[in-house]
Amino acid sequence: MRKIALFLIVLFSLYSCKNTQEEFVIEDIEPYKPIVDYGFHFDQFNVHFDTIDRQDTFEKILKKQNLNGKKASEILKIIKDSFPTSVVFKRPYVCLRSKDKYNKLQYLIYQPNRIDYYLVDLTDSVVGFKKSRPLTFKVRTVAGELTGPLTKTLRDLKIDPTLSGKLTKVFAWSIDFFKSKKGDKFALSFTERYINDTIYDGVDSLRAAFFEYKGEKIYAFPFIQERGGKVDYYNDQGKALKNFFLKAPLKFVHITSKFSKNRFHPVQLKWKPHKGTDYAAPTGTPIMTTAAGVVEQAGYTAGNGNFVKVKHDKTYATQYLHMSRILVRRGQRVKQGEVIGKVGSTGLASGPHVCYRFWKNGVQVDALKLKLPNSQPMESRNLPRFKEQIRPLKRALDSVAEIKFNK
Ligand SMILES: [Zn+2]
């Protein structure tokens, strides 16, 4: 007896281990063939599946069930308060009838959406209620190589291709998917939603990912910095991925003049608009480009002095004036934070500073007031929690990639 009990304990613990384990395989998603659903064993009934017609009402559906008018109106009266007033076109309903010679309607189930359903129980006195199908979540961790566009690659791996939209968004500021090459490796960990444990209901969330881009592994992990805050994505070092622009072109910032429609120019000694933000710093201080892009202009004018203009995308460009030295050439591709010149006071400047100008659709705007799609930078107090949280995720990604590519 004791042996049997022990055996059962071992069996159960094995089972529960299996439940929490992450899978590293790519499974086929089987088409749905219900045997048990809505809490019923279908083989115990005569089952009739149907969908709502355009003109259908609960009354019409009930009348189709060979119920007499009195019975139908009795049911309608009872379910009136707990059921929706109308039915949704094309949504399914199921009739469960007794398997005996009477073929009597015992249960009617109407499903207005994938999760909720309404049940009429006619086995005894008529009762009706709303129920929900249980949702379960399964983790999948998968490694692959790009075989073409991301959606195609995902489809080849039997991953919901809608995940590509999410991935493109998460990596938008660090990877140009149009420039990704066939054979670029990646690994993803995500949860899939299932209804009743069997019906696939789509990707629920992205847990972690990496993409190899230009020989570098770029990781992404979702993280919420404070209770009730929004999810942002960070790389394995805790750097926000969605960080289109740095706050300023200098590491240590001292603003001496803000963007203004009218300010007294310190050199020209007259009132005029100032379409930039001035950051004072000693001559020679490195100036960084605030976002990745291509150097559009690098040169000298009497007003700007030595200056650089970087084009980031179709919408945004930034410009850096009064440099003592320019360190980039026109046409050169620059990374975010890359040093493109040194602080100086060339052109119309009263002292060493960088005048930072921000262009949006060809118009100069105030960089300090722009709402840009930036993530919250990781706060140092959150970094230990973040690292702790991503450790098992990173390990899962790396090991699934290891198994896939180094076999
Ligand atoms: Zn300025």
Side-chain angles (χ1 to χ4, degrees):
M1 192 63 200
R2 192 175 280 175
K3 262 186 186 166
I4 293 170
L6 189 68
F7 174 73
L8 284 176
I9 290 168
V10 170
L11 192 71
F12 275 114
S13 58
L14 276 175
Y15 180 72
S16 57
C17 279
K18 192 169 169 274
N19 258 353
T20 51
Q21 211 174 39
E22 292 183 2
E23 10 161 16
F24 294 110
V25 283
I26 300 150
E27 318 160 297
D28 283 303
I29 294 154
E30 297 239 325
Y32 173 54
K33 287 188 215 105
I35 304 161
V36 179
D37 203 354
Y38 310 107
F40 294 103
H41 280 267
F42 283 175
D43 53 5
Q44 292 168 4
F45 300 91
N46 290 329
V47 186
H48 171 69
F49 294 96
D50 211 334
T51 50
I52 304 288
D53 277 340
R54 206 175 279 283
Q55 304 298 329
D56 269 345
T57 60
F58 273 122
E59 193 174 353
K60 279 191 183 158
I61 293 166
L62 285 170
K63 285 195 173 144
K64 280 186 219 168
Q65 311 307 319
N66 318 323
L67 296 163
N68 62 45
K70 198 177 149 221
K71 187 74 178 172
S73 57
E74 184 200 333
I75 297 168
L76 279 172
K77 221 164 113 189
I78 286 161
I79 64 172
K80 192 176 81 210
D81 298 328
S82 50
F83 273 49
T85 47
S86 61
V87 286
V88 182
F89 178 49
K90 279 190 175 167
R91 294 302 308 170
Y93 67 91
V94 185
C95 302
L96 303 181
R97 297 178 168 277
S98 64
K99 256 192 160 170
D100 56 20
K101 62 178 178 181
Y102 303 107
N103 191 32
K104 193 171 166 272
L105 182 66
Q106 295 192 303
Y107 299 97
L108 179 81
I109 301 141
Y110 160 62
Q111 212 191 315
N113 57 57
R114 278 186 292 193
I115 292 157
D116 303 318
Y117 64 93
Y118 291 88
L119 173 70
V120 191
D121 180 344
L122 300 133
T123 50
D124 196 4
S125 56
V126 179
V127 269
F129 31 88
K130 185 182 174 181
K131 289 191 149 203
S132 296
R133 307 162 111 186
L135 281 182
T136 47
F137 299 92
K138 291 181 188 171
V139 170
R140 280 179 74 191
T141 304
V142 173
E145 291 179 21
L146 287 179
T147 52
L150 192 53
T151 42
K152 181 194 175 287
T153 304
L154 295 180
R155 205 173 283 125
D156 290 348
L157 288 169
K158 298 197 164 65
I159 299 170
D160 192 336
T162 60
L163 189 57
S164 78
K166 176 86 186 162
L167 290 166
T168 313
K169 242 183 185 171
V170 167
F171 287 101
W173 317 107
S174 30
I175 295 176
D176 184 350
F177 279 109
F178 291 105
K179 293 206 175 119
S180 296
K181 297 187 307 295
K182 274 189 187 182
D184 279 354
K185 296 177 175 73
F186 63 87
L188 310 169
S189 184
F190 54 97
T191 45
E192 291 178 325
R193 211 168 41 236
Y194 285 82
I195 299 164
N196 276 354
D197 221 28
T198 45
I199 310 164
Y200 178 68
D201 190 46
V203 169
D204 192 71
S205 59
L206 179 66
R207 303 167 75 228
F210 80 67
F211 273 84
E212 251 182 42
Y213 186 63
K214 296 183 175 171
E216 200 187 329
K217 254 186 186 179
I218 301 170
Y219 288 90
F221 301 97
F223 188 68
I224 298 170
Q225 295 213 63
E226 55 213 279
R227 204 179 286 264
K230 71 178 173 78
V231 176
D232 278 321
Y233 287 82
Y234 300 88
N235 72 9
D236 55 333
Q237 302 303 310
K239 190 181 178 299
L241 285 181
K242 192 169 80 182
N243 215 344
F244 196 8
F245 289 95
L246 298 174
K247 284 251 182 302
L250 301 177
K251 273 216 173 99
F252 301 100
V253 179
H254 174 60
I255 296 173
T256 47
S257 177
K258 290 190 178 177
F259 189 98
S260 153
K261 291 215 170 86
N262 204 9
R263 74 146 183 185
F264 193 72
H265 197 279
V267 178
Q268 291 173 311
L269 302 176
K270 63 178 184 192
W271 292 89
K272 58 183 273 192
H274 180 230
K275 292 184 172 173
T277 309
D278 288 344
Y279 296 95
T283 300
T285 304
I287 299 168
M288 304 175 292
T289 174
T290 52
V294 176
V295 176
E296 198 181 25
Q297 292 176 305
Y300 181 91
T301 64
N304 293 348
N306 294 318
F307 77 98
V308 169
K309 190 174 182 182
V310 179
K311 189 181 175 191
H312 306 294
D313 65 1
K314 273 186 282 184
T315 314
Y316 297 110
T318 52
Q319 203 179 8
Y320 312 79
L321 313 186
H322 315 305
M323 291 174 166
S324 59
R325 279 185 66 199
I326 295 173
L327 299 171
V328 288
R329 271 163 306 152
R330 198 172 147 242
Q332 189 178 328
R333 185 165 279 283
V334 287
K335 278 193 201 170
Q336 183 180 59
E338 195 170 323
V339 176
I340 53 171
K342 301 247 165 123
V343 171
S345 48
T346 55
L348 279 177
S350 57
H353 78 283
V354 54
C355 182
Y356 177 51
R357 301 194 163 195
F358 204 101
W359 300 74
K360 185 182 179 183
N361 295 319
V363 179
Q364 294 188 64
V365 293
D366 188 349
L368 298 177
K369 286 191 182 146
L370 259 191
K371 282 207 171 83
L372 292 162
N374 280 5
S375 307
Q376 278 296 105
M378 179 71 68
E379 285 182 39
S380 51
R381 65 185 167 88
N382 288 330
L383 199 58
R385 181 164 62 91
F386 172 78
K387 292 243 166 155
E388 189 67 33
Q389 193 174 307
I390 71 163
R391 193 175 301 132
L393 293 166
K394 186 167 184 278
R395 202 186 299 133
L397 290 180
D398 291 340
S399 53
V400 71
E402 175 82 24
I403 291 163
K404 172 103 182 169
F405 301 116
N406 298 330
K407 56 189 167 194

